[in-house]
Amino acid sequence: MSTRHGSAVPMALLADPVERAPALLVPSLCGLWAEGLTALRAIVAAVGSGSGRPVRQAAVVTDAVARSLAAAVPLPDPSAFAPPVPVHSDYFRIRHAPLTAEQQSTIAAVLISRTLADLDFAMLDPNDLLCEVESMITVMELLRPQPSHDLADSSSASVPRSWFVPGGDWMDRWFLAHHFYFLLNLLAAERLDRAAELVRDGRDEPAAATMAQAAVLIRGFTAAMVHSCAFPARYYLDVVRPTMAPPYVRTNLTGVMQLEHRRYRAALGRLLEELAAPYDELAASSPALAEARNAVLEADLIDLERHVIVADTMVGGERSLVQPGTTVQNAASTLRKMRHLRAAAYCQYMRFGDRWVTATSRRPDEVTTR
């Protein structure tokens, strides 16, 4: 067990805004990308049927994809960009920047390869593993490069000297799984915004398909959250948690600082403004839209419910780092209250909404916050 506070995980640069245009790469790199997708799908097939867990084999393939793209596509130095959120972005080693489609696909491939390599060491529930891998497949489908025969083949280019390969270290896992989590949040936000655009254009079928992609990404970032703390609670309390408070950082860190998740939440709000009809009404006019929106909201609620479980598992009855000692809430109870209020807000939009919580939350004594 590592007891160090440091980590070898490099800084990650995320595309902001998300580039929708396809990357154009030489055919050989497009072929490698297809091999990576095949390897990821093999994990889903094997784990889903109980016939194996070929994570290591897929990690080798996706590492080759990432190395080849990184050798062919010049990437900016992440440290050249300011942190999007003070303290929080420095701590999690994240930067945002406008990127070309080629750079965006390359960085996504690198983050997927690191996350997958660590999955080979992590003791994750098979269903969480499947959700995380399925989200990787969706990312690679969304960012799949198109072949261009006009580009020069750069197969002789060299891989960057410093190439990080995960070795199962728990502190490294904390950072690299968060990198993938942040990527999924930004891509889910883009898919929700795209779905809202399609709804405005009256294109129900592609809007529903786009929301289905977003739901996979949401389930994926829930699994990535679980993956990030796939280690004993004692390690989190003794090693990880202290790094998120002074003197290691200037101020206590909290999840609300996450710009990537705030982008996702804002996009979800915009979708609900665009698609505001109650479930039964929408199902009568467009069943596909009703089911797709329902899948997004189910995934979003499950994410918060799993967050409650993670908080209780990791810190038990303790308050969060930003809660004063006088508060009557702890970390888990605060998240549980957030879940109830969110479930009440979503109830009319969902096929099986939480009607009991919705009814009780209308009473003033149930919504009082202290």
Side-chain angles (χ1 to χ4, degrees):
M1 180 187 79
S2 170
T3 57
R4 63 188 176 88
H5 291 88
S7 169
V9 176
M11 188 175 289
L13 184 63
L14 302 179
D16 188 8
V18 171
E19 176 58 60
R20 289 181 179 174
L24 298 177
L25 296 172
V26 296
S28 60
L29 292 177
C30 294
L32 280 175
W33 190 278
E35 291 176 14
L37 268 169
T38 299
L40 291 172
R41 290 176 179 135
I43 297 176
V44 173
V47 174
S49 64
S51 60
R53 190 179 182 272
V55 174
R56 181 167 300 179
Q57 298 92 310
V60 171
V61 175
T62 56
D63 182 72
V65 175
R67 287 174 184 260
S68 297
L69 265 69
V73 179
L75 297 175
D77 179 2
S79 64
F81 300 92
V85 179
V87 185
H88 187 276
S89 297
D90 279 332
Y91 173 79
F92 277 108
R93 307 163 190 209
I94 285 290
R95 293 293 187 268
H96 290 194
L99 300 176
T100 66
E102 292 74 26
Q103 291 169 338
Q104 177 178 251
S105 292
T106 298
I107 290 170
V110 170
L111 297 186
I112 286 172
S113 72
R114 290 175 185 165
T115 307
L116 193 60
D118 186 74
L119 269 177
D120 188 42
F121 299 96
M123 291 186 289
L124 222 58
D125 179 282
N127 296 295
D128 285 324
L129 185 149
L130 285 171
C131 283
E132 195 166 16
V133 173
E134 285 165 355
S135 72
M136 294 176 182
I137 292 171
T138 297
V139 171
M140 292 194 72
E141 288 173 340
L142 288 171
L143 304 183
R144 187 170 193 157
Q146 299 299 308
S148 173
H149 296 276
D150 296 330
L151 297 172
D153 193 338
S154 55
S155 57
S156 61
S158 59
V159 177
R161 290 181 186 175
S162 57
W163 188 261
F164 173 72
V165 178
D169 180 86
W170 292 343
M171 197 71 196
D172 288 348
R173 176 174 301 155
W174 174 249
F175 288 112
L176 67 86
H178 268 92
H179 287 177
F180 187 54
Y181 169 88
F182 296 143
L183 172 68
L184 291 178
N185 271 264
L186 291 178
L187 291 175
E190 186 280 327
R191 288 290 83 190
L192 294 174
D193 278 334
R194 179 58 181 150
E197 294 169 8
L198 292 166
V199 168
R200 280 195 298 274
D201 293 341
R203 302 173 61 191
D204 289 4
E205 189 173 332
T210 303
M211 279 189 275
Q213 292 173 328
V216 173
L217 297 173
I218 296 164
R219 298 260 180 191
F221 69 61
T222 300
M225 170 187 67
V226 175
H227 179 185
S228 73
C229 48
F231 40 67
R234 188 76 261 159
Y235 181 81
Y236 179 81
L237 289 170
D238 292 348
V239 180
V240 178
R241 201 177 199 225
T243 66
M244 294 184 285
Y248 296 99
V249 289
R250 294 200 310 271
T251 186
N252 289 323
L253 299 184
T254 173
V256 300
M257 294 177 176
Q258 291 179 18
L259 176 61
E260 299 79 11
H261 193 65
R262 294 204 307 270
R263 293 273 178 84
Y264 156 73
R265 298 226 60 79
L268 182 52
R270 289 189 291 270
L271 176 67
L272 292 179
E273 289 174 3
E274 197 66 44
L275 205 57
Y279 179 85
D280 290 342
E281 181 182 325
L282 185 60
S285 62
S286 180
L289 282 182
E291 288 304 315
R293 184 186 64 182
N294 186 76
V296 166
L297 297 181
E298 283 282 7
D300 185 72
L301 268 184
I302 292 295
D303 178 68
L304 194 44
E305 290 167 1
R306 295 293 299 278
H307 203 156
V308 174
I309 295 170
V310 167
D312 179 72
T313 301
M314 290 293 144
V315 302
E318 291 193 21
R319 296 178 176 89
S320 75
L321 291 173
V322 296
Q323 285 179 311
T326 55
T327 183
V328 297
Q329 300 279 356
N330 64 14
S333 69
T334 298
L335 289 165
R336 190 177 294 117
K337 180 180 71 176
M338 290 169 58
R339 179 266 169 207
H340 293 332
L341 294 175
R342 190 177 297 176
Y346 288 174
C347 184
Q348 64 172 321
Y349 304 122
M350 300 180 70
R351 184 181 181 188
F352 300 110
D354 196 332
R355 288 168 174 77
W356 185 87
V357 165
T358 303
T360 58
S361 69
R362 291 190 180 118
R363 292 162 39 194
D365 58 321
E366 293 290 339
V367 297
T368 300
T369 58
R370 295 187 290 170

